[in-house]
Amino acid sequence: MATSASLSRTSDFFREVVAEAPVDPHLEACLQCGTCGGSCPSGPDMDHTPRALFAMIAAGMRDAVLRSNTPWYCVSCYYCMERCPQEIRITDVMYTLKRMAIKAGYSAQTTAPKAPGFAQTFVDHVENYGRSFELGLITRYYLSHRPLDALKMAPLGMGLLKRKRLDLSPRPIRQIDQLKAILDRAREIDAAHST
Amino acid sequence: MRYGYYPGCSLERNAGAYHTSLMAVAAQLGVEFAEVDDWNCCGATEFIAVNRLRAYALVSRNLALAARQTNGSNGAAKGQLVAPCSACYLNLSKVEHYLSQSPALASGVNNALAAGGLSYEPGSVRVRHLLDVLVNDVGYEKVAARVRRPLHGLRVAPYYGCLVVRPGFQGRFDDPEYPTSLDRLMRTLGATVVDFPLKAHCCGGHMTQISRDVALELIRRLLKNAADYQADMIVTLCPMCQLNLDAFQESVNGLFGTEYRIPILFFTQLMGLAFGLSPAAVGIGKEFVDARPALAKIGAAAPAAAEAAPKRKPRRGDQSLPLPQMPEEEL
Amino acid sequence: MSAENPHRTRHDPHATPDAGHGERVGVYVCHCGHNIANTVAVEEVAEWAGEQPNVVVARDYKFMCSSLGQELIEQDIQQLGLNRVVVAACSPHMHEKTFRSACQRAGLNPYLFEMANIREMGSWATDDREAATQKAKAQVKGAVERAVRQQPLEPLYVDINPNTLVVGGGIAGLTAALELANAGYHVYLVERDSSIGGHMAKLDKTFPTLDCAACILTPKMVDVANHPNITLMTWSEVLSVHGYVGNFTVRVRKKARYIKEDLCTGCGTCVEKCPVRIIDQNFEVGLGYRKAVYRNFPQAVPKYPVIDTANCTFFQRGKCRACEIVCPTDAIDFNQKDEIVDLEVGNIILATGYEQFDARRVPQYGYGRLANVFTSMEFERMVNAAGPTAGRVVLRDGVTVPKRIAIIHCVGSRDKNYHEYCSRACCMAALKFAHLVHERVPEAEVFNFYIDIRASGKHYEEFYHRVLSEGTHFIRGRVAEVTDAARGPGEEGQLIIQVEDTLIGKQRRIPVDMVILMAGMESRKDARQVAALFGLGCDYDGWFTERHAKLDPVVTMTEGILVAGACQGPKAIPESVAQGSAAAARVAGMMGQRVMKREPVRACIDAASCSGCRICNTLCPYHAITFHEDRKVSEVIPALCQGCGACVAACPSAAISGAHFTRDQVLAQIEGILWDARQPEVLWLEPQ
Ligand code: SF4
Ligand code: SF4
Ligand code: SF4
Ligand code: SF4
């Protein structure tokens, strides 16, 4: 288990990742067995398997890790976490790395350049309405991030509309101000912590 | 039985059929789902990727509302919150679990909630998936008793996806690798359940938005596996899985030159049909891949029981080795 | 004195014996190298101890257990007239004997010695120097207070019963039994199964020398059966154990075989004619069949079959009796009953072995669902010439010869979801399998999937190199899943191994037609009950706990109970044999002394205070208390009492006291430990 003493022996970047995770992911226990990399449905499409990424974190390869498409290609299936023989919270680490990449301004430079945009657009919508609004989300995301792909998505959108599976306008929650106040406070707390 | 109910954004619109059918089925089974008033989005898989504390605060607002509204006073089971969407189920239970694990996180979240006049005491809400409640609280017997039109002749591939069975932040109700509760529920309805080795594999999740071809390959594997086992349809318990497998089936066929036409229905839709409800009452008709040809098979073939393989007796000259014994499965 | 003695001394030559008692205590605080001194300020503790009442001398020293350290005590006893000695060091388990002997050599009764454990209970438990030092002082103070109240005691001597019970007839138990029997001692060997031989009897070849398991095992089995000093009791189970080292009474149930052993010639005609054929889940691990009347294998020892009543048509439905009809010597006896036998033994060696991890618990490897996934033990039976396929390597259909075989290491081992430990033997067994496949099916390809290859043993690494040179594929990566869900044409109808080849850093899908799971070892399901029965400890994983992992691996904390083989932790054949021999040597060594010195720590009932309530009678785990009906008082039989103290604590009349643990000794020790506790503040409740 990572204690403050054992953590002090790891790379700065390793400590940064551990500190960013919601609870200790126990990354120091990784055996490099490859169960995660073998289980991952996106494994073949990632630039580094999760296992390799953990070795890179231990080696302090900050730039290469935050630029990697690996976290963005994680589909959050939790297979790795379920099977990891060391009970490492791998999926949490993937989310943590995404946040770190965005925060450090790497999001446009990753090898999965479209992903951070999608996440950001989604978040903006939820912050404005309290609920996700698929039509708005998809149009705004495609028009601002992937104008060329927008056409590919059009038939799907039409299909959803035709089947009454898409709203034409957002349905905000009633107490959107309350939610905004909560999220603003959370942002302040976070800002105070990370400086 | 009365539970707090968190529908989640998808059930409001794109998975409206799920909402309609689960409400219809609940009424039949005498279960009441009381929607949490003014709930907000759980953040799906995206919010947590952008900011940690804001994501936890976002979800915690729902937990705080649910704790207040399921305090046991209105006859609802205390602190029991049912989520039909896998992603909502995961997010709610994960946040609740981590708040209980980390006092620092809990105090940060409560600090944020206070800005909206709310607070949340970790441990006061237990998040359950709809399937868990239907098979474990209501029970297979009670479901069986309501079956009016058994789904004989229908071959279904039970599809669990990821987040309902893994990682089980608030405990498990089924095996994370090879779950069987939905299989048994489908058999209870009279359907024939095909082995579906990929039953807990990924549908691609948000990958459709990030790298379309990667996602389409994930979807293709599932469709191929279901087709290999000659399933008439795939039943699912998650709006995201339904959308990916259903709405993107055409794109899969386009990209890989396949010709899959496998309807994807919510398990509650099949429950409703077996209970004798009309297709419209359970939202049939909203799917991209038309389910009617498959549903027409119901009752056409002999009941599933007749298909049961005869007990194998070792014959003279048979050199085959015995198979490992597995624990007897019920039904 | 300081000239010859380099160690620091706080000695007040003018100190007079404490008024009223005359006890002269010497206190010795050990550094234990850095073990204690790094955390406890040993000099400070010694200095402080020297200032305590009754303490005549207090010293600290680098290694008290060294001969120099012991001589220090002896000198002080003789030169300063010490009559009590306290050593603050490690645990009494380690060195109480050492220091008691030192006292004895200097003419002091050894029971006037007291030990304070400031290492395990202090320096090893914390990094906080100040707190550890403070605690050490408290422990020393408690020990001094107790020591001054101690009384000289004389040890008891009891005879040792020269018989030994060995539980378990696997290779460890067989070895132990033969060693003792050859040394001239009588052995009862109790085995639960119908034959001895254990897991080893199921194997074909043994690594790394590839000698045939049966060829080296069966001679030992026969020796055991024929040895005049061994009473072999198979199909038998231990029901209860009473007594103590040197004098155990063990009750054993000999289950009915329904075969008269004096008549049966072992011809096997009954087995042949029995109409019932069922899958053998025990010896054939589910891969083969057996009859309702059966023998595990042709060379089983003893040769008599047993009838499995749960599957016998006669026992279930009252008809059949085929075996009875065909038996040429009328040896079948359907009326046989279980027998209960009491054995008197001096020592017990447990060699109850291990169980194989149940591979069904790892659903992603498909065992039980995918027909051509086999466990390692199934494969052992398959390659065995006497096994279900007569040694042919085939798929589950019994005919098809596999062309591509995957061997998956670490199934259930090295995995916190199952067992965190390494099962030690499976890597080598996996290498052996690879070799056997190459030998039997030369055209087949073999893939070993491993995290690390653990080949540390004599000639093990060389064997690994041999298997490498035979063209086995070694892929470093723990397999993620085995599936029959084909993604494309190349995979149809095959088992796919999905794995990250960690040396390349890429996910691979490798189609094979047979998979062997190297399921690890785990403790037996009833290990905890067995441990409770014999009064020994189990660790977290259910392995029996030895007294010291390195220096005393076959002896347990319970005197007279020893362990050998895989019941103590995963082991291969060589280590199991070594432990069997070691346990036998320990027992023989003790029996060579004929009598045994026993601690005089005994309970004693004051007849005048005993109310005759008899609470203690049933409580005593050693049945050492009798009740005198005539006088209505209880009495402890010193030879049976183990000094556990259960009765002392339970007696409502406070009539029982334990020698060496008297009430005033224990209370004084507690008060000593609490020497610096604050006086409780007295609160006055003001009347309103
Ligand atoms: S499965 Fe766990 S231990 Fe193995 S490589 Fe991945 S993170 Fe490390
Ligand atoms: S949770 Fe993410 S990283 Fe882990 S196996 Fe699934 S997709 Fe891969
Ligand atoms: S009586 Fe029982 S054991 Fe004997 S032959 Fe019949 S079934 Fe077999
Ligand atoms: S011996 Fe080898 S296969 Fe067995 S648990 Fe240890 S590392 Fe794994």
Side-chain angles (χ1 to χ4, degrees), chain C residues 266-415:
Chain C
C267 70
T269 316
C270 55
V271 178
E272 223 169 276
K273 288 293 181 303
C274 173
V276 180
R277 194 168 93 121
I278 58 157
I279 298 174
D280 182 357
Q281 298 295 352
N282 174 32
F283 193 77
E284 296 293 2
V285 289
L287 198 71
Y289 298 89
R290 67 159 165 80
K291 299 295 186 68
V293 54
Y294 69 100
R295 259 190 313 217
N296 280 346
F297 52 107
Q299 308 100 310
V301 169
K303 60 193 172 191
Y304 327 116
V306 288
I307 294 182
D308 159 17
T309 54
N311 287 295
C312 163
T313 323
F314 173 72
F315 277 99
Q316 293 306 315
R317 271 175 272 147
K319 280 205 289 278
C320 182
R321 291 182 172 258
C323 47
E324 193 180 36
I325 296 162
V326 299
C327 178
T329 57
D330 288 334
I332 308 280
D333 175 6
F334 291 116
N335 296 320
Q336 235 177 37
K337 294 275 174 295
D338 291 2
E339 257 179 81
I340 304 289
V341 185
D342 281 338
L343 309 175
E344 304 287 338
V345 298
N347 288 277
I348 300 174
I349 299 174
L350 293 177
T352 51
Y354 73 96
E355 259 167 48
Q356 189 166 43
F357 171 80
D358 182 357
R360 276 166 280 234
R361 290 175 60 196
V362 191
Q364 61 266 41
Y365 289 165
Y367 180 68
R369 193 161 44 78
L370 305 172
N372 290 316
V373 178
F374 294 83
T375 63
S376 37
M377 201 47 99
E378 279 184 304
F379 192 73
E380 290 281 7
R381 292 309 297 151
M382 184 184 285
V383 286
N384 193 311
T389 64
R392 284 175 308 123
V393 176
V394 285
L395 298 183
R396 197 71 72 168
D397 66 6
V399 192
T400 315
V401 177
K403 293 196 178 55
R404 291 162 67 88
I405 299 178
I407 301 177
I408 301 182
H409 291 222
C410 303
V411 177
S413 311
R414 302 188 66 192
D415 185 339

Side-chain angles (χ1 to χ4, degrees), chain C residues 409 414 427 431 448 450-456 461 464 474:
Chain C
H409 291 222
R414 302 188 66 192
C427 268
L431 298 178
N448 273 55
Y450 67 99
I451 312 176
D452 303 287
I453 296 285
R454 304 231 153 135
S456 55
E461 183 71 13
Y464 174 28
F474 281 91

Side-chain angles (χ1 to χ4, degrees), chain A residues 35-43 46 49-50 54 70-71 73-83 90-92 94-95 98, chain B residues 162-163 166 202 207 218, chain C residues 507:
Chain A
T35 309
C36 49
S39 301
C40 186
S42 309
M46 291 172 165
T49 60
F54 300 153
T70 303
Y73 272 31
C74 166
V75 290
S76 199
C77 72
Y78 285 89
Y79 259 123
C80 52
M81 205 161 129
E82 188 63 50
R83 292 175 180 169
I90 302 169
T91 319
D92 285 352
M94 294 299 161
Y95 282 122
K98 291 191 217 189
Chain B
C162 308
L163 306 178
R166 280 187 307 272
C202 177
M207 214 57 195
L218 297 181
Chain C
Q507 201 179 86

